[in-house]
Amino acid sequence: PMASMASQAVVSGAGTKRLSRKSLGRLVCLAVAALSCSPAHRQLPFAAPDSAARLPDRVAEVRFGTPGQAQAAVRGLHGTQLGGCTLEVMPIETESSGAMVFVRGFNLDTDWQDLTKHFESAGEVAFANICTAVRCCELKFDSATDAEAAAAKLSGAELSGDKLKAALSPGQQKVVVWNFGGKTDRSALLRHAKSLDIKIQDVTLHTGTQAEVRFEHPAEAQKALQMDGSELDGEQIQVTLDEKSPDKTKVIVRGFSHTTSRQAIGDYFEQAGTVAYAGIKRARPRWPKHQRNGGGAPRGGEYGM
């Protein structure tokens, strides 16, 4: 309709009164914009998630003065609340001094000062560093014994040139592994575990990369939620509703391969409804140099994208 109105205006205007070049240009732009929105010409535009779709894979490494203080942090602070969120506190198996813990589960408002203050109840905090988009994976096992053995095998193991770090979740049959490269996917992790004779029950990969898919209707977004746990390009994806979306038409997708394109994601979710657009936000995590190499460290900080 808009294109028709614009073209009629141009034709009628040409027959009665000469239009100025500026007015004619405006009418032509209006017609082109209207045509580009028609179903025949609609394509998924490139889109970056807005500020409401923040990356959830935000973790921290907290170093104490002694191994005993780190152990006290695991015993006393695992499962505690910080900023309304429940923390996971795990000993880092690859830390030779035994004085460092791996922390996750805190919200976007928590900074390194908040972590330092919270963990000082366990002992002197040497530093608390946050990475806002770290790649990590959860490995689930049949028993706590299997999980403990797997953590020991994976600690310091090399995968595609990266030295893995591992943390055993207290009281659970779960190990968290991180410090692997951007091209390492779920299949690569499973193959590596098999080569180490590790039997895994399930793997959940958190890449720090997410996609945003917006539908035309809220009901279509709800249908897309049923695709949680399905496979896309050989990887098991996680689909959640973006609670900050005003019209509830947007879902967040995680766990897909680094080779999966924006268009592939859009095409895949067309089975749930009409996709208005799909966009990928790729994470670029960066731990500080002093932390990677084990050198001297400042009090704390935040690193990432």
Side-chain angles (χ1 to χ4, degrees):
M2 290 174 65
S4 177
M5 290 170 60
S7 60
Q8 288 175 11
V10 172
V11 173
S12 62
T16 59
K17 182 180 179 181
R18 181 179 293 275
L19 293 174
S20 68
R21 180 173 296 181
K22 186 175 182 180
S23 298
L24 182 60
R26 287 177 177 173
L27 287 170
V28 171
C29 288
L30 177 64
V32 171
L35 286 171
S36 66
C37 293
S38 65
H41 295 82
R42 186 177 66 83
Q43 293 182 348
L44 296 179
F46 287 96
D50 56 27
S51 59
R54 303 289 186 86
L55 290 169
D57 301 304
R58 194 164 179 259
V59 302
E61 292 182 356
V62 179
R63 185 189 291 274
F64 292 91
T66 66
Q69 293 171 340
Q71 293 167 12
V74 174
R75 290 193 305 269
L77 296 173
H78 176 73
T80 58
Q81 295 282 311
L82 177 60
C85 297
T86 303
L87 297 182
E88 283 189 82
V89 184
M90 315 173 203
I92 298 180
E93 301 292 328
T94 50
E95 177 58 26
S96 57
S97 68
M100 189 182 290
V101 296
F102 178 79
V103 185
R104 66 177 187 165
F106 49 91
N107 62 31
L108 290 164
D109 296 324
T110 300
D111 57 22
W112 68 269
Q113 291 98 331
D114 296 327
L115 285 172
T116 298
K117 185 176 180 180
H118 188 76
F119 280 88
E120 280 178 342
S121 61
E124 180 187 357
V125 176
F127 71 75
N129 282 323
I130 295 174
C131 183
T132 58
V134 73
R135 292 171 56 84
C136 64
C137 70
E138 291 179 6
L139 310 179
K140 294 183 180 179
F141 299 87
D142 292 326
S143 68
T145 302
D146 290 343
E148 187 175 355
K153 287 183 179 181
L154 289 167
S155 298
E158 286 199 5
L159 176 58
S160 301
D162 297 306
K163 199 170 184 178
L164 300 179
K165 292 185 178 182
L168 180 66
S169 183
Q172 299 186 41
Q173 299 161 196
K174 181 174 68 178
V175 173
V176 177
V177 179
W178 70 103
N179 207 45
F180 46 84
K183 294 185 177 181
T184 299
D185 55 19
R186 184 172 179 269
S187 300
L189 288 164
L190 285 170
R191 288 194 301 270
H192 188 64
K194 187 176 180 180
S195 70
L196 296 174
D197 197 27
I198 297 174
K199 294 181 180 180
I200 300 172
Q201 185 186 72
D202 191 25
V203 177
T204 302
L205 180 65
H206 301 281
T207 63
T209 298
Q210 67 180 25
E212 174 186 305
V213 181
R214 186 184 293 278
F215 296 90
E216 291 192 351
H217 304 287
E220 295 171 331
Q222 289 295 325
K223 188 175 180 181
L225 295 179
Q226 299 174 17
M227 299 168 69
D228 180 54
S230 62
E231 284 199 0
L232 173 60
D233 292 342
E235 298 296 329
Q236 191 176 56
I237 60 172
Q238 298 90 50
V239 185
T240 57
L241 184 68
D242 185 353
E243 297 296 340
K244 295 184 179 180
S245 173
D247 54 7
K248 306 300 181 185
T249 59
K250 184 170 64 178
V251 297
I252 303 299
V253 185
R254 304 181 183 92
F256 50 89
S257 171
H258 69 279
T259 61
T260 300
S261 68
R262 172 198 63 87
Q263 190 66 49
I265 291 173
D267 292 343
Y268 183 71
F269 278 90
E270 284 283 355
Q271 58 188 295
T274 303
V275 175
Y277 70 75
I280 295 177
K281 189 179 180 85
R282 299 199 181 275
R284 295 182 180 179
R286 179 175 64 86
W287 290 100
K289 184 177 180 181
H290 69 262
Q291 191 169 334
R292 294 196 303 268
N293 298 336
R299 180 69 170 169
E302 183 162 346
Y303 305 83
M305 298 183 65

